[in-house]
Amino acid sequence: MNKLTDNIEKARAASRERLETAREIATEGSLVAREKMSESKARAAALLGEGREKAAESVAATRDVAKKAVAKSEETISNSPLAIVAGGAALGILIGMLLPKSQAEGKYVGGAGRKVNQTVKTAYQAAKDASRDQIGELGLSNDNLRAQFKDLFGKAIEAAKTAMAAAQDAVKEDNQGKK
């Protein structure tokens, strides 16, 4: 029985030794996992900070672009306000011509519309004749005026596009910053 007791004791000792080794390995693994988790957490915090900085820089750049577009638009408008008014009127007329006439409009405003139309045509013709005479007196050509109007209208369109793009970028960046 002594041998049996010795074998049991040896088995117990071997089991204790294996248990102690398993505990040491588990403790080391737990320490490594905690260290890796801390590193990952620090990296994520750094990336979040960088992302916020870049978003703030983008918002500031967008604001600068929008301010420049507004300043350029104001400059264009102040340098030639009549051309802007004429362009707006032309755009309004074009939109009005493209919209279809409704039945209710024809029923309630038909007669008055014809009278207004005739009056507008007469006024337009008188204004056209007077402006031709005055332009002729100033020595300005139609081609020169067209070129200036096209340039101004193109600049106004470009300024509007730039302002729209800046606004869209700002909204996108603001939405990304909230995520």
Side-chain angles (χ1 to χ4, degrees):
M1 185 119 167
N2 237 349
K3 260 187 173 180
L4 183 60
T5 306
D6 286 341
N7 285 339
I8 291 175
E9 282 302 317
K10 284 181 186 177
R12 281 185 185 165
S15 293
R16 283 189 199 121
E17 190 176 311
R18 285 186 187 146
L19 180 62
E20 191 60 36
T21 303
R23 281 185 184 158
E24 288 175 6
I25 291 171
T27 301
E28 287 176 18
S30 174
L31 291 174
V32 169
R34 285 183 184 151
E35 186 177 311
K36 296 280 185 188
M37 193 167 29
S38 293
E39 289 173 5
S40 295
K41 189 176 179 181
R43 243 182 302 153
L47 289 173
L48 179 63
E50 289 175 14
R52 285 183 179 160
E53 288 174 12
K54 288 181 181 180
E57 289 171 4
S58 295
V59 167
T62 300
R63 282 188 183 137
D64 289 343
V65 169
K67 285 179 183 178
K68 287 178 184 176
V70 167
K72 190 173 182 178
S73 297
E74 287 175 350
E75 178 183 334
T76 302
I77 290 170
S78 66
N79 287 341
S80 29
L82 293 179
I84 296 298
V85 170
L91 186 61
I93 290 170
L94 179 65
I95 291 171
M97 289 172 35
L98 293 175
L99 293 175
K101 185 176 175 182
S102 69
Q103 289 180 351
E105 182 181 2
K107 180 179 177 182
Y108 295 113
V109 193
R114 281 188 283 283
K115 289 178 186 176
V116 168
N117 191 10
Q118 185 59 41
T119 304
V120 167
K121 284 181 182 179
T122 304
Y124 170 75
Q125 190 61 42
K128 184 177 169 183
D129 293 341
S131 65
R132 272 194 194 147
D133 293 343
Q134 190 172 7
I135 288 172
E137 289 173 14
L138 294 173
L140 299 173
S141 69
N142 285 341
D143 293 336
N144 186 17
L145 290 175
R146 271 194 204 108
Q148 286 181 359
F149 181 75
K150 283 182 182 178
D151 182 51
L152 180 62
F153 195 68
K155 287 179 181 178
I157 296 278
E158 190 61 36
K161 286 179 183 177
T162 302
M164 180 63 83
Q168 287 175 339
D169 290 344
V171 169
K172 285 179 186 175
E173 289 172 7
D174 187 45
N175 288 339
Q176 288 176 352
K178 290 180 181 178
K179 288 183 182 177

